[in-house]
Amino acid sequence: MHIGIYINNENISSVDCKNLLVGNPGIGGTEYCVLLLAQAYKMYYSNNKVTLFVAKQGILPEVDNYVVVNGIDDLPAKAQKEDVDVLVVSAVYNGIPLPQSFFDDISAKKIKTILWGHNFYLSNFCDKICKCEYAKANVFVGRQQYDRYVDHAVINKSTYIYNMYPETNELHREKIQNHAVTYIGSLVPTKGFHVLAAVWKTILKEVPDATLNVVGNGKLYGRNSKLGKYNIAEDSYEKQFMPGLTDDEGNILPSVHFWGVLGVEKNDVIRNTCVGVVNPTGRTETFGISALDFESMSVPVVTIAKGGFLDTVLNEETGLLYGHTDDFAKDIIMLLKNDKLNEQYGRDGVQLCKKFTPDKIIKEWNRLFLKVLNDEKMEYIEPDSFMETNLKKYRCLNRKIKNAIGVEYPISVIGAESFARNILRRMGK
């Protein structure tokens, strides 16, 4: 079996991505997962052939072949030329959903393709997947993301496979030695760092010796982006969050440390962390791999009970999930002050991460590749958890109605959400 995997590595071609099993070398989460899949599949299924289709030659994991493609429109032709059996492609290219031309091309060239959904889809993109014969399967990266689409026809081509997370050989945090809070993520509005910045001075009032580590900057997902006065994030976003982290003269508070983008070096920062924080808003989070960065090293996580974090953080077991950002600072303060609870959550986090190790997850990918190769249908997975979140009860009810009347009518909750979003965009909101 010949598996082709595409990554647009244009912005990370200079980063050493040779061995993803030792951790993320400082690239985006999606990029890391795509390259890790290529490396792990070749490692565990060495008799099968793996070709990486890339935008540029780079420092890449060891596979059988590397093919440079000139953009997404060139990919289907190159995959056909290389005689690929199954092609894996992220559903987003250069920040936007794959164009209709891509679906037309894989159909024309009869390339059996798996779409990999590291981002949430709007209904019009779901429709493209449904209508394309050679979009054979769609992989969501978590259970909560999968459940979001149960009443849309795209679910008939879909499954979910959790992102892989290698077990770390690094030393875990052994004991709490400080009151350090660490944030990992890109400093862009959708990743919610401004929410943490806004409550930092409140946290300092309760825990005066607390410190804040910030790992990441505005260049994590766009290394050529223009930064602001502090050279930390895009100018307008810096102006939004920096008041919470500076004194009256505009100087960065002594308790705040910006580390920039780190590769595996971030493990040293994590190991000296009391509480980990990832995307406090939960926006765009289909999985939340940064939560595992903390949990794998015995550090509890505080974030919102939303999206992928419901899969990667267990509330009151590996961290605290709040329902509203009003509780955010309170939860951080609780774990800063309660060492016993903090250490208990840390131990449980290490155990949770074993669920996502490559030796387990890669088997699910191999089963999917065989299904696609043999034109087998995806099996529906009934939602069974967090039914009160994200309108899930209504999505399930709508699906049951469709099944009862035997008609796949074109009304779905994601369709209504997509319509509302488009209206708000036109209104400039």
Side-chain angles (χ1 to χ4, degrees):
M1 184 163 51
H2 185 182
I3 305 300
I5 300 172
Y6 173 71
I7 181 170
N8 181 4
N9 67 328
E10 189 171 359
N11 291 326
I12 62 167
S13 58
S14 62
V15 180
D16 187 348
C17 299
K18 204 124 187 102
N19 186 7
L20 290 309
L21 292 171
V22 299
N24 189 328
I27 59 180
T30 297
E31 297 161 331
Y32 174 68
C33 291
V34 171
L35 290 174
L36 180 57
L37 171 63
Q39 179 181 356
Y41 192 72
K42 187 59 193 175
M43 183 173 72
Y44 285 97
Y45 296 92
S46 57
N47 290 333
N48 291 339
K49 184 176 181 180
V50 176
T51 292
L52 259 176
F53 294 93
V54 297
K56 293 177 71 173
Q57 292 289 356
I59 311 170
L60 299 164
E62 185 176 343
V63 294
D64 295 285
N65 193 21
Y66 308 91
V67 176
V68 176
V69 298
N70 184 24
I72 197 70
D73 291 333
D74 186 36
L75 178 59
K78 290 286 178 64
Q80 183 185 50
K81 183 179 179 181
E82 296 296 324
D83 198 24
V84 164
D85 291 314
V86 180
L87 179 66
V88 180
V89 185
S90 176
V92 169
Y93 175 73
N94 281 349
I96 59 174
L98 291 170
Q100 182 60 49
S101 59
F102 174 79
F103 292 94
D104 295 340
D105 287 346
I106 60 172
S107 294
K109 293 173 173 58
K110 298 182 178 180
I111 307 296
K112 293 181 179 180
T113 300
I114 297 173
L115 284 303
W116 197 358
H118 291 271
N119 303 77
F120 291 110
Y121 301 164
L122 296 181
S123 60
N124 62 339
F125 187 75
C126 295
D127 294 340
K128 291 178 182 179
I129 297 174
C130 294
K131 294 174 182 176
C132 179
E133 179 184 357
Y134 281 85
K136 293 292 185 179
N138 172 65
V139 175
F140 292 121
V141 299
R143 182 60 196 269
Q144 305 313 310
Q145 187 190 18
Y146 176 92
D147 289 354
R148 188 183 184 96
Y149 298 89
V150 294
D151 64 330
H152 190 286
V154 74
I155 209 68
N156 298 323
K157 288 188 173 185
S158 298
T159 188
Y160 73 91
I161 300 176
Y162 289 123
N163 286 327
M164 284 181 268
Y165 193 88
E167 282 192 277
T168 176
N169 292 322
E170 296 280 339
L171 293 174
H172 297 161
R173 185 192 70 174
E174 293 184 358
K175 61 181 179 178
I176 300 168
Q177 298 179 324
N178 54 42
H179 288 140
V181 177
T182 298
Y183 166 90
I184 295 178
S186 187
L187 299 185
V188 296
T190 54
K191 296 300 179 180
F193 177 69
H194 55 281
V195 179
L196 175 56
V199 300
W200 183 244
K201 291 177 181 176
T202 299
I203 293 170
L204 285 177
K205 288 179 181 177
E206 291 289 329
V207 187
D209 66 338
T211 57
L212 174 62
N213 297 309
V214 183
V215 178
N217 66 21
K219 288 188 176 181
L220 182 57
Y221 295 108
R223 291 170 184 265
N224 300 315
S225 56
K226 182 181 177 182
L227 302 182
K229 170 184 173 182
Y230 296 93
N231 204 39
I232 294 169
E234 193 274 329
D235 185 57
S236 62
Y237 190 50
E238 265 193 11
K239 290 175 180 175
Q240 180 181 349
F241 69 73
M242 284 304 292
L245 306 176
T246 54
D247 60 23
D248 292 340
E249 283 75 46
N251 300 308
I252 297 175
L253 297 174
S255 62
V256 180
H257 309 285
F258 289 96
W259 293 89
V261 176
L262 299 177
V264 294
E265 310 89 5
K266 72 176 181 288
N267 290 340
D268 290 332
V269 178
I270 295 172
R271 197 163 34 244
N272 290 293
T273 292
C274 185
V275 179
V277 173
V278 289
N279 197 343
T281 66
R283 287 180 61 194
T284 76
E285 296 297 338
T286 53
F287 183 75
I289 199 166
S290 292
L292 303 184
D293 287 335
F294 291 112
E295 292 168 323
S296 67
M297 299 187 74
S298 300
V299 177
V301 174
V302 174
T303 190
I304 194 167
K306 185 177 180 182
F309 292 134
L310 295 172
D311 292 326
T312 54
V313 182
L314 304 182
N315 187 40
E316 298 183 349
E317 291 185 48
T318 70
L320 294 174
L321 296 174
Y322 51 83
H324 194 279
T325 51
D326 288 348
D327 296 322
F328 182 32
K330 180 186 69 176
D331 287 349
I332 293 175
I333 291 166
M334 178 189 297
L335 288 178
L336 287 175
K337 290 184 173 182
N338 191 330
D339 287 358
K340 183 177 180 181
L341 190 65
N342 189 304
E343 290 173 352
Q344 176 190 321
Y345 289 174
R347 288 190 296 270
D348 290 343
V350 174
Q351 296 306 310
L352 173 65
C353 289
K354 296 180 185 298
K355 177 180 179 179
F356 306 104
T357 54
D359 62 306
K360 296 183 177 73
I361 302 300
I362 204 65
K363 293 175 184 176
E364 297 182 42
W365 276 103
N366 190 57
R367 284 194 289 268
L368 177 63
F369 291 152
L370 291 170
K371 273 190 172 186
V372 169
L373 187 67
N374 296 316
D375 294 317
E376 297 176 23
K377 291 184 178 181
M378 300 297 109
E379 298 171 2
Y380 175 67
I381 308 164
E382 187 76 31
D384 61 1
S385 62
F386 302 108
M387 299 303 292
E388 300 300 322
T389 65
N390 197 31
L391 303 176
K392 194 180 295 189
K393 288 195 300 186
Y394 300 101
R395 300 176 200 273
C396 292
L397 176 60
N398 192 32
R399 177 181 174 83
K400 288 179 180 177
I401 293 172
K402 290 182 179 185
N403 289 341
I405 65 176
V407 177
E408 183 63 52
Y409 53 81
I411 298 175
S412 62
V413 175
I414 190 62
E417 291 172 328
S418 301
F419 178 77
R421 178 170 175 167
N422 289 334
I423 292 295
L424 290 172
R425 278 182 173 176
R426 290 173 188 171
M427 295 171 62
K429 295 183 179 180

